[in-house]
Amino acid sequence: MSAVRWGRGAAGFGRALWPAGSPGLLAEEGALGGVWSRKRSSTASPCEQDRRKDWGHAELLEVLKARVRQLQAEGVAEVTVKRVAVARAPEAGGAQPPRQAQAGAKGAAATLSSRWAQKLDSDQQLMEKRKQRLEGKLQERVEKGAWQKQLRLEPRLLSRKLASQLQHWEQGAPRSPWEEQLAQLLQEAPHRLSSEAAAAPADRGPESRLEGQRQRLLSFFECCLLTGHLPLAHHVLVTHHSKSQQQRLLTLSMYNMVMLGWARQGSFKELTYVFFMLKDAGLAPDLQSYAAALQCMGRLDQDAGTIRRCLKQMAQDGLQLQGLFTAVPLSAEERAELLRAVRKAKPTFTPPRLPVPPPQVNTSPLLREIYAKDPAVSYPRLHLSLKELQGLFQQQLRVEMATTITVESVEKVPLLTKEVLHARKTLAGLRTRWRTALYRELQETKESEAHAAREGRLSLFPYLCLLSEKEIVRVLLQTLQALPAQGESLLFLAHELGLRVFKRKQLRNEVQELEQRYSKYLHLLASDTQIGILKPHPAFTQLLETAAERTLTFESTDVPMLCPPLPWTSPHSGAFLLSPTKMMRSVEGSQQHQLLLERCPPAELHGALDALTQLGNCAWRVNGRVLDLVLELFTDKGCPRLGVPAPPSEAPRPPEGRQAPKRCLLPEVSPAEKAEMRRELARRLKVAREMQSLRADALYRLSLAQHLRHRVFWLPHNMDFRGRTYPCSPHFNHLGSDLARALLEFAQGRPLGPHGLNWLKIHLVNLTGLKKRESLQARRDYADELMEDILDSADRPMTGRKWWMEADEPWQALACCMEVARAVRAPDPTAYVSHFPVHQDGSCNGLQHYAALGRDSVGAASVNLLPSDLPQDVYSEVAAQVEVFRRQDAEQGVQVAQVLEGFISRKVVKQTVMTVVYGVTRYGGRLQIEKRLREIHDFPQDFVWEASHYLVRQVFNSLQEMFSGTRSIQRWLTESARLISHTGSAVEWVTPLGIPIIQPYHRDSKVMIKGGLQSLTFSSSVDTSQKGLTFVSVHDCFWTHAADVAVMNQVCREQFVRLHSQPILHNLSRFLIERFCSDPRTSKSIWVSRLTDTLLSVPKTGTFNLEQVKHSTYFFS
C-alpha cells in the first residue's frame, strides 16, 4: 500500500484505510456509513443501528492497528517516497540537503508511528469499554426479548366452544377486529362449568383453606403491575387458568387486575384474552371489568358502535353506568379516559357527583358542647411562621424518605489505638465484601425466581423488582446492622425487611400528594398562617465492640419529628408524614382492636383523634444546660444515685478467692457453699445485665438529645389498647424517668405573668418530695426560705452545696432551680418568658375515679375530691392503717409484725396502693413491697419474704376498710370479667368518649378502669387547646406553662365532674348485657345466666356531691 493514498483528501480517507483484497466487506454491513456518512439512512431498528455502529468502530480499530504495523514494516518505502518529494524542494527554493532530509524523514516516520500507537492504544481502551457496555445492553435486551417470548399470552380455554371461537377469531383477525370480538364475547352468557368441574367445590374443603393462597396470588399480580411486569402476570394467570385445579384459586378481582393493566397500556388484544378466560371460568364481568374495557377503548379512540354495544351489554347484566364513576376506584387520568369513551357513545352524559356526606357530629355528652360551638373555634397557632414550618416539613420529609437516621453517639471517645483502627478497617472491608456478595446473590436469586415465574409458578421475582438491586442490598445491610448479639427470629426479620421495602416503594408515590395536603395544614398552624433465629457471629460482635464506632442508626419512626405531625383523621392515618402509624397499639399478632376501630362510626372517634393531634402538636426543645451536666457524668463513670447509668467497666466482676466459680469443682466444697457461690454469681450477672441495659437506654436518649440540641421537634402520639396515650418515639420523650423529663422544655415560651413565679416555686418544692401535707402557701414560703440553696444549685450544680441532689426528682429539681434563678434575676419577673413545664399531679388518680364512680364520701375525702385546708395523702393514711394492724399483731406475739416495727412507711406501700385499682394481684403487690424492703439497708433481709407476704395482706385489708365503695365496684367488675371469659369471649367495652376497647389477655379475668382517666385526658386536651393553652399529659400528670396552671386546673376539674355526671356503671351494664347476653343461642347457658344476674346487680352508690370537686384545691396539685 502506498502512502500516496493519504493525499487524496478527506473524502478518500475512508477508502484509504481498507486493506487490499476486501474493499467492500464492511461497507456492505453499513458500518462506515453509520460513522462517516451523515446522509446514510437505514431501515434497521435503533438497537440494530447501535449494534452495527459500535461493531463497525471495533473493526475500524483493528484496521488502524494493522496500519500501524504496516507503517513500521514499510518504513523504508515511506521514507523513499518522502525523500523524492523533499529532493525536489530545492528546485522550488528549498534549502534542505538530501542527507538531512533523509534523516528527518526517518525521525518523522518514527515519531508518526509512536504518536499513532499511543493514540490507538487510547482509542482501543475507550472502544473496549464501549464494546463491553454495548454487549451488556445487547445481552439484557436479548434476554428480555427471549424471556418475553417464553411468556404465554394466548389462553388455553377449558370450554371447547370458547376455544374454537377464539381460534376462529384469531385466524380471521383482519376481518374481525378485536374490538368486535370483545363486543360479541360480552354477549355470551357466562360459561357454566362442566358437571365434573361443578362438583369439584364440594371436594375442595372449607373455603378458608384457599384464602391464604388467593391472597398470595393476588399480591403477586399486584406486585407485577406495580413493577411493570404485566406480561408475567398475564402469563401466570394463563398458566393457572389452563389447569382446573389451579383455576379455583383465581377470583374475579385477579382477572380484573390484569385487565386493568392491559387497559392502561391500550392493549386491546391481550385484554380480550383475559375476557375469554373470565368467561371460561364461569364468571360474569362486573363494573371493574367494564371499566377496564371502556378505558382501553377511550385510549384507542374506538368507534361509537363498539362502545354502545358494550354499554348495552353492561345494562343487560344489571350494572348501572353511573356505578363506573362512583363504585370503581380510578385515578384522575383513568377516569378521564373512561369518560371519553362513554361520551363517544353518549355525548350528553355527565358523570354523577360523589355525594357529600352529611356533617358527622360526635354524640359523646362530654364533647357535645365543644363540637357544637358555632362559629368553630380557631385552630391553635404555633409560634413558628409558615416559611419556617415549610422548611421543617422538608427536613422531616428527607428523614422519612431515608427511612433511617444516623446520629453521633455521646459515648466517651475511645483512644484510637492500633487495635481500634485495625478493627474499624476490618469492619469496612467486611461490609464492602458483604455488599458485593449480597449483590451477586441477589442477582442469582432474581434469575432463579424469574425462571420459576416463567414456569407459571408464584415466585419472589416481582417483589425483588420493587426496588433497585442497590437499594435492596442497602436495606439488607441496614437490617443486619441492627441485628442484636442474641439474635432475632427469622420471621421477625422477614417482616421488618418487608416493611422497609414497602415503605421505600410507597414513599415514592405519596410525596407530591402529601406536600399539597400538608401545606394546607400548615396554614392552620403557622403564626402568620418465628421459624428460626439469625445471630451475628460472636467474632463479628467482638469486632464491633473493639471498633467502637461513633454512630447510632435509628428508624425514622423512632426519633421525634422535625415538623408538626400529621393530624389524626382516622384510626390508621396520622402522626408521621410517610410512615404508616396506627392510632391504637395492640399486642403482637392481635387485630381485634383495629377491627373494632374500623367498625366504629368515624364521628365517635373525633374526640380521641383530636386529642392525639393536640398532644402531638406541642413543640419541644432540649434543655442544653442540663444535657451538658448529664453528659459530663455519663462520659465519666456515671452516677447511679442520680439516674446516670455507669459504664460496663463498673459492673461487678465474677467473685474471686474463696467465692470464685472454679472452686465449685473442688471436692472439699460443701453443697451449701456451692449453692451460695452459684447464687452470688447469678446475682452479679443479673446486675451486670441490668447495668448494660440501662446504659444502652441512656446512650440512645442522650445521643438523640445531643442530635436535637439546637432544633425544635415534635412528639407524635398514639394510644394503647386501654386508651392510654404515649409518644410514638420510644427513646426520647417526656414519659421517661426524672432524667428524661429534665432534658425537655417547651419550645414556645410564655411570660410568667402575676402568678407564674409562685407556681414555679410550688412545683420545685413538689419535686423535692417534701411538704406533701402542707398547703400551697406553705410550700411557697418554704421555697423562699431555701432561695439561697436554689440559686447556689443553679449557679454551681456540681461544685456548690448540691442541695438539688437530695430531691426525689433531682434532675427536674435542678432544671427548675435554673428557671427560678433566671426568673428572680430578671428585671421584671412577670415579663420573663418561661419555657419550663409545670406539672399538676392527681392524688392517686385511679382511686379518685373509683371514689367518684361509687360516690364514696370517705374515699373521696382521702383522695382530695373534697375541699380541705390541707392536702390529704392516701398513701400515708394507708401506711398509718397498716401500722395499726401491725401493732395489734405485735401485741399478739406475731414475730413478723414485731420485726417490721419502725419500717412501715409511705414509700413501702405507695406502689401497691397506686396499682391495686388497676388490677394488681396480691402476688404482684408482694413483689413490689419486697423490692422496697430490700432497699432498706437496716431491715433484716432474712425476713423479707415473710414480711412482704404480711404487708401485702394488710395493705389490701386497709384499702377494704377505707374504700368500701371502691372495693365493691372493683369486685363487681372482676366478677363480670370472669363470667364473660367463661362464655368464651374477650372482655370489651366502650369508654365514655366512645372509644371501643377489647381486653387482649384472654387468660386474665381482671378489668382495669382506664376509661375514666383517659376520658379526662382527652376531653381536657381538647378543651385546653381551644383555650389556647399548651397541654401535655403523662397519664395522671398534666403539664403546661407556669402562667396557665390556674386555667388548666379549672379545665381538669370541670371535665372530671362532667365525666362522672354520666351514669357510667349503668351504661356499662347495659352495653355488656347487649353484647354478651342477648344472643338467643347462648341465653340458656349457665354462665350467661350468671353473667346477666351479675350485670343487673350494679353496685349502689353513696351520697358524695361531685360539684365539690370544682372547689377542691388539692384535687390536682
Side-chain angles (χ1 to χ4, degrees):
M1 180 183 291
S2 171
V4 177
R5 287 188 180 182
W6 290 96
R8 297 188 178 179
F13 178 63
R15 295 189 296 276
L17 293 176
W18 298 112
S22 55
L25 180 62
L26 294 183
E28 292 176 2
E29 293 294 324
L32 284 179
V35 178
W36 306 109
S37 176
R38 297 183 180 179
K39 297 183 179 180
R40 176 74 176 264
S41 61
S42 173
T43 57
S45 65
C47 175
E48 183 68 19
Q49 290 176 9
D50 290 342
R51 183 179 66 82
R52 291 177 180 177
K53 176 179 176 180
D54 285 291
W55 282 113
H57 285 183
E59 296 204 23
L60 173 60
L61 192 59
E62 294 297 328
V63 172
L64 291 174
K65 290 167 63 177
R67 177 59 180 160
V68 171
R69 291 194 296 270
Q70 189 177 23
L71 285 172
Q72 293 171 346
E74 299 180 357
V76 178
E78 291 287 339
V79 171
T80 302
V81 173
K82 289 184 177 293
R83 186 180 60 186
V84 172
V86 174
R88 294 173 182 169
E91 299 178 10
Q96 189 174 11
R99 287 185 179 273
Q100 292 180 357
Q102 184 175 2
K106 289 182 178 181
T111 303
L112 178 65
S113 175
S114 174
R115 188 168 63 249
W116 269 102
Q118 292 176 3
K119 186 175 188 307
L120 288 175
D121 284 342
S122 174
D123 288 347
Q124 183 180 16
Q125 294 176 5
L126 181 63
M127 292 302 298
E128 282 295 330
K129 292 180 181 179
R130 294 184 62 186
K131 181 179 177 180
Q132 291 175 3
R133 285 199 303 267
L134 180 62
E135 287 176 343
K137 291 180 180 179
L138 288 175
Q139 183 67 22
E140 289 180 6
R141 295 184 182 181
V142 168
E143 289 178 357
K144 187 174 181 180
W147 190 41
Q148 297 284 4
K149 291 178 182 178
Q150 295 177 23
L151 302 180
R152 286 185 56 188
L153 293 178
E154 298 81 1
R156 182 184 300 170
L157 305 178
L158 301 181
S159 166
R160 293 182 179 178
K161 178 183 177 183
L162 285 174
S164 62
Q165 192 175 3
L166 175 60
Q167 183 179 9
H168 172 72
W169 277 338
E170 284 183 322
Q171 293 173 353
R175 298 182 302 275
S176 179
W178 286 98
E179 293 77 12
E180 293 292 332
Q181 297 174 21
L182 177 61
Q184 296 178 30
L185 182 62
L186 287 172
Q187 296 174 9
E188 294 283 335
H191 169 61
R192 298 301 174 187
L193 299 176
S194 65
S195 57
E196 180 182 353
D203 302 326
R204 293 177 186 172
E207 190 70 19
S208 59
R209 294 181 184 177
L210 304 175
E211 190 58 32
Q213 294 174 291
R214 286 174 174 163
Q215 288 292 336
R216 287 192 291 272
L217 192 55
L218 185 63
S219 172
F220 177 86
F221 288 139
E222 251 184 310
C223 197
C224 283
L225 266 64
L226 194 61
T227 56
H229 291 90
L230 178 58
L232 178 61
H234 186 100
H235 172 73
V236 173
L237 183 72
V238 169
T239 305
H240 277 69
H241 180 86
S242 62
K243 300 175 183 178
S244 57
Q245 289 299 318
Q246 293 184 354
Q247 190 186 108
R248 63 179 181 165
L249 298 175
L250 300 176
T251 61
L252 181 59
S253 59
M254 298 178 193
Y255 290 103
N256 284 341
M257 187 175 294
V258 178
M259 274 196 292
L260 180 60
W262 290 124
R264 288 170 179 164
Q265 295 186 9
S267 301
F268 214 97
K269 178 179 178 180
E270 289 79 4
L271 183 142
T272 307
Y273 280 152
V274 181
F275 256 105
F276 267 103
M277 290 187 284
L278 185 149
K279 290 285 185 174
D280 189 50
L283 301 172
D286 63 359
L287 283 172
Q288 286 190 340
S289 312
Y290 282 104
L294 290 168
Q295 181 192 153
C296 191
M297 293 179 185
R299 292 180 189 278
L300 298 175
D301 197 19
Q302 294 301 320
D303 63 279
T306 305
I307 298 174
R308 285 195 197 95
R309 287 195 293 274
C310 185
L311 294 177
K312 181 180 179 182
Q313 186 59 43
M314 186 178 75
Q316 292 177 359
D317 289 345
L319 302 175
Q320 298 294 324
L321 178 58
Q322 290 80 2
L324 294 174
F325 297 90
T326 58
V328 180
L330 297 170
S331 67
E333 190 259 350
E334 291 170 345
R335 183 183 174 91
E337 295 295 345
L338 177 61
L339 182 59
R340 179 183 177 189
V342 172
R343 282 183 172 166
K344 202 157 191 182
K346 295 187 175 185
T348 60
F349 175 78
T350 302
R353 292 184 178 179
L354 294 177
V356 179
Q360 298 173 334
V361 181
N362 188 284
T363 59
S364 170
L366 300 175
L367 300 174
R368 189 179 300 143
E369 181 179 335
I370 294 175
Y371 285 111
K373 290 181 179 179
D374 191 23
V377 180
S378 61
Y379 215 82
R381 303 276 178 164
L382 297 178
H383 65 293
L384 301 170
S385 67
L386 179 61
K387 185 176 180 180
E388 291 173 312
L389 288 173
Q390 288 173 337
L392 293 174
F393 165 73
Q394 292 297 331
Q395 292 180 34
Q396 178 65 24
L397 193 60
R398 286 193 291 272
V399 169
E400 294 195 37
M401 287 286 287
T403 71
T404 60
I405 182 171
T406 301
V407 304
E408 288 289 327
S409 171
V410 297
E411 192 66 87
K412 187 176 181 179
V413 180
L415 296 176
L416 295 180
T417 62
K418 290 183 178 180
E419 186 181 12
V420 172
L421 294 174
H422 177 70
R424 292 184 178 181
K425 183 178 180 181
T426 304
L427 265 181
L430 280 175
R431 286 166 179 158
T432 301
R433 290 199 292 274
W434 289 346
R435 190 176 293 107
T436 304
L438 283 172
Y439 188 79
R440 183 174 58 251
E441 187 65 27
L442 178 61
Q443 289 178 319
E444 294 175 0
T445 303
K446 284 181 72 173
E447 183 178 350
S448 172
E449 294 297 318
H451 178 73
R454 289 196 295 271
E455 293 181 350
R457 294 184 282 121
L458 293 187
S459 76
L460 294 176
F461 176 72
Y463 301 98
L464 296 177
C465 297
L466 283 168
L467 302 177
S468 69
E469 292 171 351
K470 289 184 179 179
E471 285 181 296
I472 292 179
V473 169
R474 192 180 303 118
V475 169
L476 284 169
L477 288 174
Q478 285 178 355
T479 304
L480 294 176
Q481 184 73 19
L483 195 64
Q486 68 272 18
E488 192 59 83
S489 159
L490 284 176
L491 278 177
F492 176 80
L493 287 176
H495 177 71
E496 288 295 306
L497 184 61
L499 283 179
R500 287 176 185 268
V501 174
F502 170 77
K503 284 171 63 175
R504 285 178 180 266
K505 184 66 178 178
Q506 186 187 39
L507 301 187
R508 299 174 179 173
N509 306 325
E510 295 184 356
V511 173
Q512 186 174 1
E513 181 183 355
L514 173 68
E515 287 180 334
Q516 295 173 353
R517 288 190 289 115
Y518 195 79
S519 177
K520 296 178 182 178
Y521 179 54
L522 289 183
H523 279 80
L524 297 175
L525 293 177
S527 57
D528 60 346
T529 62
Q530 192 88 265
I531 293 175
I533 298 293
L534 184 65
K535 293 179 65 175
H537 195 283
F540 177 67
T541 303
Q542 182 62 42
L543 185 63
L544 282 175
E545 293 178 3
T546 305
E549 293 179 306
R550 294 276 300 151
T551 58
L552 299 171
T553 301
F554 298 93
E555 293 292 322
S556 60
T557 53
D558 288 343
V559 298
M561 294 183 65
L562 302 179
C563 67
L566 279 178
W568 282 98
T569 55
S570 73
H572 47 74
S573 178
F576 293 97
L577 302 181
L578 299 170
S579 305
T581 309
K582 291 183 179 180
M583 167 189 166
M584 184 174 286
R585 308 176 182 188
S586 59
V587 178
E588 185 68 27
S590 174
Q591 296 182 349
Q592 298 165 301
H593 308 87
Q594 197 66 22
L595 293 175
L596 278 177
L597 291 173
E598 294 291 347
R599 291 199 297 264
C600 184
E604 299 305 315
L605 296 177
H606 284 175
L609 296 172
D610 287 345
L612 291 174
T613 298
Q614 293 306 323
L615 292 173
N617 270 347
C618 176
W620 299 89
R621 72 180 190 184
V622 173
N623 189 325
R625 290 189 63 191
V626 173
L627 177 60
D628 288 335
L629 295 171
V630 175
L631 289 177
E632 182 181 336
L633 292 176
F634 184 82
T635 53
D636 187 17
K637 291 188 178 181
C639 183
R641 185 172 71 88
L642 293 176
V644 183
S649 59
E650 302 299 311
R653 302 300 179 191
E656 298 178 357
R658 292 183 57 82
Q659 294 292 324
K662 62 182 180 181
R663 291 196 70 245
C664 292
L665 303 177
L666 300 178
E668 63 269 18
V669 179
S670 66
E673 289 179 309
K674 290 181 180 179
E676 178 60 28
M677 290 177 187
R678 285 194 293 269
R679 281 195 295 269
E680 178 62 20
L681 180 60
R683 186 192 68 80
R684 296 193 180 199
L685 287 175
K686 180 183 178 183
V687 171
R689 292 192 186 102
E690 289 175 350
M691 289 179 63
Q692 183 180 13
S693 176
L694 292 172
R695 182 75 177 184
D697 181 63
L699 175 64
Y700 294 162
R701 177 178 295 111
L702 296 177
S703 297
L704 286 173
Q706 180 73 357
H707 176 71
L708 297 167
R709 174 189 284 268
H710 301 298
R711 296 171 179 259
V712 177
F713 55 90
W714 285 260
L715 299 171
H717 280 61
N718 61 0
M719 66 176 73
D720 66 6
F721 71 92
R722 301 162 296 186
R724 301 191 75 164
T725 59
Y726 294 89
C728 299
S729 308
H731 304 299
F732 186 45
N733 57 57
H734 59 292
L735 256 67
S737 60
D738 164 58
L739 172 59
R741 298 183 184 192
L743 292 173
L744 292 169
E745 58 186 14
F746 296 136
Q748 183 174 3
R750 289 178 68 87
L752 286 177
H755 306 294
L757 182 56
N758 288 335
W759 279 114
L760 281 176
K761 295 176 181 178
I762 293 171
H763 179 56
L764 176 56
V765 175
N766 288 345
L767 291 170
T768 65
L770 306 171
K771 307 297 179 181
K772 287 183 176 292
R773 305 294 296 268
E774 300 291 336
S775 66
L776 296 181
Q777 183 60 49
R779 298 179 204 182
R780 288 197 296 270
D781 295 340
Y782 183 66
D784 290 334
E785 294 172 11
L786 293 173
M787 187 56 65
E788 188 175 343
D789 287 331
I790 293 172
L791 297 178
D792 176 76
S793 296
D795 297 336
R796 299 182 300 156
M798 295 300 180
T799 58
R801 303 170 193 168
K802 304 179 183 178
W803 169 82
W804 63 276
M805 291 187 182
E806 305 303 320
D808 282 359
E809 310 287 351
W811 289 108
Q812 292 180 83
L814 175 60
C816 196
C817 287
M818 294 176 176
E819 190 73 2
V820 170
R822 286 191 290 266
V824 297
R825 290 166 175 168
D828 180 7
T830 62
Y832 171 73
V833 177
S834 173
H835 295 259
F836 194 82
V838 174
H839 312 169
Q840 294 287 279
D841 277 310
S843 299
C844 194
N845 193 242
L847 281 174
Q848 286 181 324
H849 282 287
Y850 265 117
L853 279 172
R855 302 296 194 272
D856 184 353
S857 298
V858 176
S862 300
V863 291
N864 293 303
L865 295 187
L866 284 173
S868 60
D869 295 331
L870 295 175
Q872 305 301 308
D873 184 16
V874 64
Y875 308 115
S876 298
E877 292 184 17
V878 171
Q881 184 62 49
V882 170
E883 174 61 21
V884 171
F885 291 150
R886 186 208 64 79
R887 195 179 301 115
Q888 294 172 355
D889 290 340
E891 293 172 357
Q892 297 291 328
V894 178
Q895 184 185 14
V896 68
Q898 295 171 348
V899 171
L900 280 167
E901 182 177 0
F903 292 106
I904 298 176
S905 65
R906 178 183 188 274
K907 185 176 182 180
V908 169
V909 303
K910 178 180 177 180
Q911 188 178 11
T912 305
V913 174
M914 186 188 306
T915 56
V916 72
V917 295
Y918 299 133
V920 72
T921 61
R922 288 182 183 249
Y923 173 76
R926 189 199 70 76
L927 293 178
Q928 293 168 345
I929 293 176
E930 178 185 343
K931 186 175 182 180
R932 298 286 85 80
L933 291 176
R934 291 193 183 280
E935 293 173 354
I936 303 175
H937 299 295
D938 298 336
F939 186 79
Q941 297 300 303
D942 293 342
F943 283 90
V944 166
W945 191 88
E946 186 179 359
S948 61
H949 265 286
Y950 174 82
L951 284 180
V952 74
R953 186 169 65 252
Q954 299 304 342
V955 167
F956 274 70
N957 291 339
S958 300
L959 288 172
Q960 174 63 43
E961 189 163 313
M962 294 172 59
F963 294 88
S964 57
T966 294
R967 297 299 287 170
S968 66
I969 293 174
Q970 194 170 26
R971 283 194 298 271
W972 178 73
L973 291 169
T974 302
E975 179 64 12
S976 300
R978 187 183 71 84
L979 294 172
I980 289 172
S981 65
H982 276 295
T983 66
S985 302
V987 181
E988 61 180 89
W989 66 96
V990 177
T991 69
L993 273 183
I995 305 171
I997 305 294
I998 188 167
Q999 173 65 273
Y1001 305 129
H1002 298 291
R1003 295 186 179 181
D1004 193 352
S1005 60
K1006 297 285 181 185
V1007 164
M1008 294 173 286
I1009 290 295
K1010 299 285 185 184
L1013 168 61
Q1014 294 314 310
S1015 295
L1016 178 61
T1017 301
F1018 291 151
S1019 53
S1020 298
S1021 64
V1022 174
D1023 202 7
T1024 52
S1025 69
Q1026 293 195 353
K1027 295 181 184 296
L1029 272 66
T1030 298
F1031 176 87
V1032 176
S1033 74
V1034 183
H1035 305 321
D1036 62 345
C1037 178
F1038 298 155
W1039 299 13
T1040 192
H1041 287 96
D1044 299 325
V1045 173
V1047 179
M1048 185 182 72
N1049 279 337
Q1050 178 188 352
V1051 170
C1052 290
R1053 286 156 177 75
E1054 290 175 352
Q1055 293 300 326
F1056 185 87
V1057 172
R1058 182 177 297 177
L1059 168 66
H1060 286 285
S1061 296
Q1062 310 300 316
I1064 294 176
L1065 292 179
H1066 287 86
N1067 288 344
L1068 177 62
S1069 173
R1070 281 195 297 271
F1071 172 82
L1072 294 177
I1073 289 174
E1074 181 180 352
R1075 175 66 181 84
F1076 299 106
C1077 305
S1078 59
D1079 190 345
R1081 295 172 295 180
T1082 60
S1083 59
K1084 295 182 180 180
S1085 167
I1086 184 174
W1087 296 112
V1088 173
S1089 177
R1090 290 182 183 179
L1091 176 61
T1092 304
D1093 294 340
T1094 301
L1095 293 176
L1096 290 174
S1097 303
V1098 179
K1100 295 182 180 179
T1101 57
T1103 58
F1104 171 65
N1105 181 10
L1106 282 173
E1107 289 296 321
Q1108 297 183 77
V1109 174
K1110 295 181 179 179
H1111 309 290
S1112 173
T1113 302
Y1114 302 103
F1115 166 64
F1116 264 69
S1117 64

